[in-house]
Amino acid sequence: MLERLRVRDLALLEDVEIELGPGLIVVTGESGAGKTLLLRAIELVFGARATGEVVRVGRAQARIEVTLRVDGGILAEDALSLGFSGGTLLVQRDIPKAGRGRALVEGRGVPLTVLARLGQNALRQQGQHAALELVRPEAHVGLLDTAAGLLDIKRKFNEGFEGVQRVIGRIELLARGRDELERRCEILRFDVEELTRLGVDEPDAIESLRAERERLRHMDRLRRAAEEALAEIDGAEAPALARIERQARRLADVATLDAELAAAAELLAECVAPLREAARLLQGFGDPIEDAAARLDGLEERLAQLERLGRKHRVNDLVDLCEVRRRLAEDLEAATGASSDPEALEGDLAKAAETAWLACEQLEAARRRGAAALESSVSSELSRLGMGDARFQVGFEPIRADTTAGPRAVLVRHGRRLEASGSHAVEFHLEANAGEGALPLARFASGGELSRVMLALASLPRARDGATLVLDEVDAGIGGETSEAVAVRLRDLARGRQVICISHLAPLAAVADIHLAVEKTVQGGRTSSRVRRLNDAERVVELSRMLGGGEAARGLAEAFLLRAVAPGTDGTKSRRRGRGGGARP
């Protein structure tokens, strides 16, 4: 669970701090106010890719901090692996305008992959991008694998399929002729050596080069700052270090007469060692001007060569050259191996194909079992979301193929072609109205129906694993009575877990445990977004705005809030209003 979020200088979020808690947290506000920026901040602090463009104009860096409650399970294992055993972790991400950023856990620097791993186990996200996945039939197989918990089986199949593809590539290279093969190897070898020579083995290496270039470009400024600081500490006529040492000794002489002076003397004495260490570091700071200039020239030349290679290999970001090098090295290995004995390669191909097809059959059998459970669960959830007659179905269609000659013939069996996703295409269907028949979801579902299918997927038992559920406007296209059904379902979904939801639905905001409002403000010619935690009176105002304003809207807003705290069918209060009360800056 996320206990606290602080965001500084991330686009419009200049300085926002939010205390969170369990239950349903609804974020509302005008379009463009910055609601999605809050979710973006959560993604970034947990390792999402970022560039300096996200930093607020005029600021050097953005900083995002989150306090993560660790209550056991995989998160606790992650914490122990990092050397922490406490109940909370302070996770921090610094994103500079230029240069290399920092990732920290409890103040200790960690690779960005550690933050990504924490986020993978702490969050479950469903958003507008996920709804877009539903309108792409080719993405349905991935959604099924995730919902049915088949990622480990899918990984085994991927390994088998990639293995057979490598052997096919080696055979096809061999068939093109020795001369062409040698030319191909020579080109690949040159490209790999060129990238290796310029140090693109790891993405961090390129970021380090950029950061070092920025440091050297500002070396004069850094050196002046170090010299001025050293002069104040230990080089002026009355250096701070000497004055502090003198006063510490003077107070120590009379400390026995007064406890407060004794404490002050002790604190001053404790300052001496850090100041001496700072003076030592400042004395040795900076390279000779000539060396720094030469190193900067070398770095500029090296980065210029990397930019040339980026254009050559058509990558948008230099860090992607690492992936280019890895792929080229694999191609070189395959091309070099293509000189193997043809008969041995045919044997390797037969074994690899058998492994891949066996893994495919196991995966697709598991998919059919998972699809049956998914159909039942999603249909049941859709009923709770106001689609009582809806039926969700998962369709399987063989990927047809004619007989293929050559080494790729092993990818065809019984008229089916083996592809990276398997030998059957998967597509979701929805019968929204009884007796009308199930139709492909991607082509015939409305926006509201897509949103409710996404909510149904988010409500599955596998999704309810204790991780924070983050929903970005998955209620889009929903209104009327359906909006109240969605509100009730999300309220129930938030029992025993934390759910953070951006919404434009007043009925949903009315049942929130915590209601956050995001507003744009302009001060001194600068626009920023602020986030307030609303109390009961402020919630009425915000709900009225969401309902269109006016006395009628205010009356309806008050009715929504009264209904949210009315006794439920089990005799208990369904929701408390404005838990924690009061507006927060």
Side-chain angles (χ1 to χ4, degrees), residues 12-13 29-37 473 504 518-521 527-529:
L12 293 179
L13 301 179
E30 298 278 7
S31 296
K35 301 184 298 297
T36 301
L37 263 179
E473 296 191 20
H504 292 284
V518 183
E519 303 168 329
K520 272 186 184 178
T521 62
T527 303
S528 62
S529 293

Side-chain angles (χ1 to χ4, degrees), residues 468-499:
T468 294
L469 181 60
V470 181
L471 304 171
D472 183 7
E473 296 191 20
V474 292
D475 52 15
I478 294 173
E481 293 182 0
T482 301
S483 65
E484 297 198 44
V486 169
V488 170
R489 189 65 192 115
L490 276 175
R491 179 197 64 194
D492 294 341
L493 183 62
R495 286 178 177 151
R497 75 178 300 174
Q498 185 182 60
V499 177

Side-chain angles (χ1 to χ4, degrees), residues 141 144-146 148-159 161 355-371 396 418-424 426:
V141 65
L144 170 61
D145 289 344
T146 300
L150 305 179
L151 298 184
D152 288 339
I153 301 176
K154 176 66 182 303
R155 192 175 298 111
K156 181 179 178 181
F157 165 70
N158 287 342
E159 291 171 357
F161 183 74
T355 298
W357 275 103
L358 178 60
C360 177
E361 298 295 343
Q362 293 172 341
L363 173 62
E364 294 188 337
R367 279 175 177 166
R368 291 184 183 277
R369 293 192 298 270
F396 292 85
L418 192 66
E419 293 187 349
S421 61
S423 66
H424 284 79
V426 174

Side-chain angles (χ1 to χ4, degrees), residues 187-297:
I187 293 171
L188 287 170
R189 191 174 293 109
F190 175 83
D191 285 342
V192 170
E193 289 175 354
E194 186 177 40
L195 289 166
T196 302
R197 186 173 62 253
L198 289 174
V200 293
D201 292 347
E202 297 291 339
D204 285 352
I206 293 176
E207 293 295 348
S208 295
L209 290 176
R210 289 169 166 166
E212 179 66 5
R213 176 176 62 180
E214 289 304 303
R215 190 181 78 88
L216 290 173
R217 280 177 171 177
H218 298 90
M219 183 53 70
D220 287 344
R221 180 182 172 189
L222 294 173
R223 188 180 286 107
R224 284 196 303 272
E227 289 171 351
E228 290 173 6
L230 179 60
E232 291 292 331
I233 293 172
D234 199 29
E237 292 182 2
L241 178 57
R243 295 202 309 273
I244 289 172
E245 285 183 299
R246 184 166 59 254
Q247 295 305 322
R249 287 194 300 269
R250 183 179 179 185
L251 287 177
D253 290 341
V254 296
T256 56
L257 302 176
D258 187 285
E260 290 187 11
L261 287 181
E266 186 175 341
L267 288 172
L268 284 174
E270 289 175 356
C271 293
V272 171
L275 281 172
R276 282 179 179 164
E277 177 62 14
R280 186 188 66 79
L281 293 173
L282 291 169
Q283 286 172 348
F285 178 80
D287 302 329
I289 294 176
E290 297 79 5
D291 292 349
R295 288 178 60 197
L296 178 59
D297 289 344

Side-chain angles (χ1 to χ4, degrees), residues 62-121:
R63 170 169 292 179
I64 310 162
E65 298 175 356
V66 67
T67 303
L68 179 64
R69 165 65 59 179
V70 179
D71 291 323
I74 298 177
L75 266 180
E77 294 175 9
D78 285 339
L80 286 173
S81 70
L82 293 169
F84 304 111
S85 57
T88 60
L89 291 178
L90 177 61
V91 181
Q92 177 183 320
R93 174 94 181 269
D94 291 342
I95 305 169
K97 198 78 168 179
R100 186 177 179 183
R102 293 194 308 164
L104 302 99
V105 176
E106 289 292 308
R108 193 176 77 200
V110 297
L112 202 57
T113 52
V114 169
L115 301 193
R117 190 173 79 228
L118 289 173
Q120 184 178 9
N121 293 323

Side-chain angles (χ1 to χ4, degrees), residues 22-27 124 126 381 384-386 451-452 454-460 464 468-476 478 482-513 574-575:
L24 180 60
I25 303 168
V26 176
V27 184
R124 298 289 176 269
Q126 302 281 1
E381 285 295 331
R384 294 187 181 97
L385 293 170
S451 295
R452 278 177 279 180
M454 286 311 310
L455 280 174
L457 291 171
S459 303
L460 295 178
R464 304 190 68 171
T468 294
L469 181 60
V470 181
L471 304 171
D472 183 7
E473 296 191 20
V474 292
D475 52 15
I478 294 173
T482 301
S483 65
E484 297 198 44
V486 169
V488 170
R489 189 65 192 115
L490 276 175
R491 179 197 64 194
D492 294 341
L493 183 62
R495 286 178 177 151
R497 75 178 300 174
Q498 185 182 60
V499 177
I500 302 174
C501 179
I502 288 180
S503 178
H504 292 284
L505 292 181
L508 175 55
V511 301
D513 290 301
S574 61
R575 278 290 154 193

